[in-house]
Amino acid sequence: MATKKNPNAVALGKLGGVARASSLTQAERSAIAKKGAAARNAKLPAAQRSQIAKLAVKAREQKRKLSGKEN
């Protein structure tokens, strides 16, 4: 039997995330994001990590072309 979530509790939970994000500095948010990315990467096999890295490089190259900063 599925239980329904209390909508008031859900709304308060969303506010908490916004409050936390607004109280952090850019460096703190970046450090938290890097820690999360490292944890997600640890779960992936090496082949998938390599594939993701190649896609990231390709995306950066495309972004540089669009911004006119091509070397």
Side-chain angles (χ1 to χ4, degrees), residues 13-27:
K14 289 180 181 178
L15 289 176
V18 172
R20 179 175 187 238
S22 65
S23 69
L24 296 172
T25 66
Q26 175 63 32

Side-chain angles (χ1 to χ4, degrees), residues 3-19:
T3 60
K4 288 189 175 183
K5 292 186 177 182
N6 182 339
N8 294 327
V10 171
L12 284 174
K14 289 180 181 178
L15 289 176
V18 172

Side-chain angles (χ1 to χ4, degrees), residues 26-63:
Q26 175 63 32
E28 289 170 328
R29 286 193 305 271
S30 179
I32 291 168
K34 286 178 184 178
K35 184 177 178 182
R40 287 188 300 275
N41 274 340
K43 295 179 182 179
L44 294 175
Q48 280 187 315
R49 284 195 305 270
S50 176
Q51 183 181 13
I52 291 170
K54 288 177 185 177
L55 289 173
V57 169
K58 188 175 180 180
R60 280 194 301 271
E61 289 173 352
Q62 184 67 25
K63 186 177 178 181

